[in-house]
Every structure is written in structure tokens, then in C-alpha cells.
Amino acid sequence: MENKVPMSKSKSIKSTQVFPEHTNHLNTMFGGKIMANMDEVAAITAMKHSGINCVTASIDSIDFIKPIRTGDIVTYEGVVSYVGRSSMEICVQIRVDDPKDHKSSLAALSFLTFVAINDDGTKRQLPKVYPETEVEKWLYETSEARVNTRQDRRIQTKGTIKYLTKFMENN
């Protein structure tokens, strides 16, 4: 029987407050700062699931839905939503909380792929996951389409790399 663990076992949460040094000239949080925090939470999530070191393999996209402003509280929540052989998809939801009115809303969303690696750099096979909540079930059930899109994009990227490498050698 295949080893499976609940998706909730990997859940990681980080909250921070946005200060002026985290914002741009429009007083909204730098996208790069959001991405760095997102990658950190995703890495912790991946390591909690795998029990070993993990590296970022790709970021599908990050969709910025709502601006995050100075004074807001930002919460990053990561969970493993799919596991292949040695790679896993991590969903990171980024919520913004206004401490004045106690309202919370989705500010950004991203899916990242991480690969589990042994100390010698080889890939490690991972336990699968299973969902428990309604949200986890949706993430799990829709993961196949994202995985297929990711695989198609990887094929396109390899073609681009091959072309650019050839082009760079000739210039």
C-alpha cells in the first residue's frame, strides 16, 4: 500500500506586518518582497512534507489580486496540494488583514513546484498526500490540470533554452 499523509501535515503559516521599508512609492508592498516570503513559506511547507531538503523548481505564476498597504498584516499559508515522484506542488495563499476593521481577504495566490533532494543531490521519492477539507479537496482534484500545464510549459522552455544557447554560441 502506498504511503499517504494528510495535506494538513504540511501546512505552514507566516504572518508579518507591512512597514514603510517593505513598500514602493505607491505605499503598496513590493512584489519581490511578497515573492520572497511566499518562496520561504513554500520551502518550509515542502520540507515539512518530505522531511528533507527541498529546492524550488518552478513558480507557475503569482496572481496579485488586491494591493497590500503599509500597516496591513499579511499572512502566507502554504500547503502541499499534489505530489509526483520527487516533486510536489505547493499552493500559497496570501491574505491581507486590516487590523482596524478585522477583515481578511485574499491578496495573492501562487503555485510553486519543489523537488526533494538527498544530501548527495539525488531526488528522493515522496509520500503522496490526501485531502481532508473542502478547500484541500478542490486543490487536490484540480492539480492534474496544473501539472499538465506545467509539463507543457517545461517542454516549451527547453526549446527556448536550446534556441537561445545556440544563438548565444553564434554571437
Side-chain angles (χ1 to χ4, degrees), residues 13 18 25 31 35 41 68 74 85 90 99 114 130 142-143:
I13 299 172
V18 180
H25 64 288
M35 292 168 62
V41 168
I68 300 170
V74 183
R85 186 185 174 297
I90 314 291
F114 275 74
Y130 64 87
T142 58
S143 66

Side-chain angles (χ1 to χ4, degrees), residues 108-136:
L109 178 69
S110 188
F111 290 91
L112 301 88
T113 302
F114 275 74
V115 176
I117 54 170
N118 295 309
D119 289 338
D120 65 0
T122 58
K123 296 177 183 179
R124 157 107 42 103
Q125 189 165 351
L126 296 168
K128 302 296 184 188
V129 291
Y130 64 87
E132 298 173 296
T133 68
E134 185 177 334
V135 171
E136 288 174 352

Side-chain angles (χ1 to χ4, degrees), residues 1-165:
M1 185 167 138
E2 188 173 34
N3 183 19
K4 287 188 175 188
V5 295
M7 289 167 69
S8 61
K9 180 179 182 255
S10 68
K11 186 180 283 188
S12 300
I13 299 172
K14 173 184 180 173
S15 292
T16 62
Q17 187 172 23
V18 180
F19 293 104
E21 62 268 21
H22 303 138
T23 63
N24 59 29
H25 64 288
L26 299 173
N27 294 318
T28 59
M29 193 169 181
F30 283 117
K33 180 78 172 164
I34 294 168
M35 292 168 62
N37 287 330
M38 175 192 70
D39 192 42
E40 177 186 9
V41 168
I44 292 167
T45 302
M47 287 186 279
K48 284 175 72 173
H49 177 75
S50 66
I52 62 169
N53 289 323
C54 297
V55 295
T56 310
S58 71
I59 299 173
D60 287 3
S61 65
I62 179 166
D63 296 307
F64 297 102
I65 300 161
K66 178 181 180 171
I68 300 170
R69 304 193 184 284
T70 304
D72 286 343
I73 297 169
V74 183
T75 301
Y76 302 82
E77 184 174 318
V79 68
V80 175
S81 48
Y82 168 83
V83 176
R85 186 185 174 297
S86 61
S87 66
M88 60 201 112
E89 175 188 82
I90 314 291
C91 174
V92 178
Q93 297 178 52
I94 301 148
R95 293 189 318 271
V96 63
D97 299 308
D98 184 334
K100 296 174 197 152
D101 64 12
H102 304 288
K103 290 187 179 177
S104 179
S105 56
L106 190 64
L109 178 69
S110 188
F111 290 91
L112 301 88
T113 302
F114 275 74
V115 176
I117 54 170
N118 295 309
D119 289 338
D120 65 0
T122 58
K123 296 177 183 179
R124 157 107 42 103
Q125 189 165 351
L126 296 168
K128 302 296 184 188
V129 291
Y130 64 87
E132 298 173 296
T133 68
E134 185 177 334
V135 171
E136 288 174 352
K137 287 177 186 171
W138 184 87
L139 287 169
Y140 184 79
E141 290 168 0
T142 58
S143 66
E144 185 177 347
R146 289 187 301 274
V147 168
N148 290 338
T149 299
R150 201 172 293 124
Q151 289 171 343
D152 291 344
R153 189 184 74 234
R154 194 171 300 122
I155 291 168
Q156 291 175 341
T157 298
K158 285 180 181 179
T160 302
I161 290 169
K162 184 177 178 182
Y163 175 79
L164 290 176
T165 302

